[in-house]
Amino acid sequence: MYLKDDGTLDHQALSRELRGIVSDRPARDPCEVLLWLAARLRADPAGPDGPALTLAVHATSCYAIWRIRRVEVVDALIEAAARAAEAYGALGCPASSGRPHPAAHPGAGTSGDDPETVAGVIGLIGAARDGGGARGELEAWCCPGFLAGLAGAALTTLRNGRRARFEASDTANLDAHFLAGGRADIARLTRTAERHRPGDPSDLAEQAGLWAARRLLSGAAPAGERLPLLLTVCFAAQHCHWCATSPARVAVYRAALAAVDPEPLERPCPHSGGHPDVPVRSLLRYARALAGHGGDGLRVDEDAWRCPRHMAERAASMLAHTAGYLGLDHSLHSTR
């Protein structure tokens, strides 16, 4: 992908590509780029391309965690970073004293500079190899001891991020918070979900949507709870395009949405005038009204809201929305 005609790494092309990716202006699919560089580094971590590819993994590690929604891409980067850390760690830092010399290394020795700067260094390495640039500080950037630190830092970032992004947190402890007498406390659940703060995965409001989805999936929710729970999940799922919701959380939302029977979409219903169409921000108010907590002053047409076709339409719409967030082909994940 980023090779010259003679099969050697095209440092300049890779540097340009990575600067675009880390500044969130990719020229091509970042997943394709990251999988390529991870495979090449994994195959020969301490080879001639190792320094540039290790810098590439380090530069893109934070981007991969916050912008990539395919776990296999993150896993490939983790394996590549681990191989590089091991290979360069074995080589060590060639200081005359036999000890690392962090003062001679760029950045802080393990964190380097900002991602665009690190990506730019890859181009400088290529220029120096082609005889068009001075080595200077590049020797420090390419020092095995320094590269081992960079690879290790990237590995920590990627592993921690993988846990946070691709492993949905347990919500069983919230049963005591959201159940009352064995039934979901819809008023408490929805008022908690309304306090959503975008981007805070530890926020109880984010956990409320996850708990609602798992309650639906459990099969323990009686018929009267299912629509309020579904509306809570729809509210939570809609936030996917408003913040960096973890793919693991979205996968739980999608499982709950897919569990709604799609068969009513294939047959007519009595509501020729259509079903309730309300903005997403109002869904939780209607969930409370439908659960018998109508203190918000809403009047609801129970028959139209609880229509199986309406519920199937809501679920299908949110499945399409979340498929877009995850970059899925919705035609392959349709409920119909």
Side-chain angles (χ1 to χ4, degrees), residues 167-233:
E167 298 176 21
S169 57
D170 186 13
T171 52
N173 63 310
L174 296 179
D175 286 356
H177 194 74
F178 292 131
L179 287 179
R183 299 180 66 91
D185 186 337
I186 299 298
R188 188 173 196 181
L189 176 69
T190 55
R191 293 193 187 283
T192 300
E194 281 175 334
R195 295 196 291 270
H196 171 78
R197 294 193 300 273
D200 181 1
S202 65
D203 184 14
L204 183 59
E206 292 251 349
Q207 300 299 311
L210 196 57
W211 185 91
R214 286 176 169 148
R215 173 77 172 169
L216 272 176
L217 284 168
S218 72
E225 280 183 23
R226 294 189 62 79
L227 178 57
L229 288 171
L230 174 63
L231 297 180
T232 304
V233 174

Side-chain angles (χ1 to χ4, degrees), residues 22 58-59 111-121 141:
V22 299
H58 178 76
S111 61
D113 274 18
D114 68 274
E116 284 194 69
T117 298
V118 176
V121 170
W141 280 97

Side-chain angles (χ1 to χ4, degrees), residues 225-256:
E225 280 183 23
R226 294 189 62 79
L227 178 57
L229 288 171
L230 174 63
L231 297 180
T232 304
V233 174
C234 288
F235 177 87
Q238 179 65 35
H239 285 74
C240 291
H241 281 309
W242 301 345
C243 64
T245 307
S246 77
R249 188 183 302 275
V250 179
V252 178
Y253 296 157
R254 287 178 57 77

Side-chain angles (χ1 to χ4, degrees), residues 128-193:
R129 286 191 177 180
D130 294 339
R135 291 184 176 274
E137 192 183 18
L138 294 179
E139 292 183 2
W141 280 97
C142 296
C143 168
F146 178 65
L147 291 171
L150 282 188
L155 185 59
T156 297
T157 296
L158 291 163
R159 282 176 171 167
N160 290 343
R162 189 195 191 285
R163 283 192 292 271
R165 296 274 286 160
F166 295 99
E167 298 176 21
S169 57
D170 186 13
T171 52
N173 63 310
L174 296 179
D175 286 356
H177 194 74
F178 292 131
L179 287 179
R183 299 180 66 91
D185 186 337
I186 299 298
R188 188 173 196 181
L189 176 69
T190 55
R191 293 193 187 283
T192 300

Side-chain angles (χ1 to χ4, degrees), residues 27 32 49 80 120 130 182 190 193 211 213 216 219 221 226 281 295 318 323 330 335-336:
E32 182 182 358
D49 296 340
D130 294 339
T190 55
W211 185 91
L216 272 176
R226 294 189 62 79
R281 65 179 179 273
M318 277 298 109
H330 183 59
T335 59
R336 302 193 65 174

Side-chain angles (χ1 to χ4, degrees), residues 80-102:
R83 292 288 303 278
E86 180 182 10
Y88 287 117
L91 292 173
C93 179
S96 57
S97 64
R99 297 190 303 274
H101 47 92

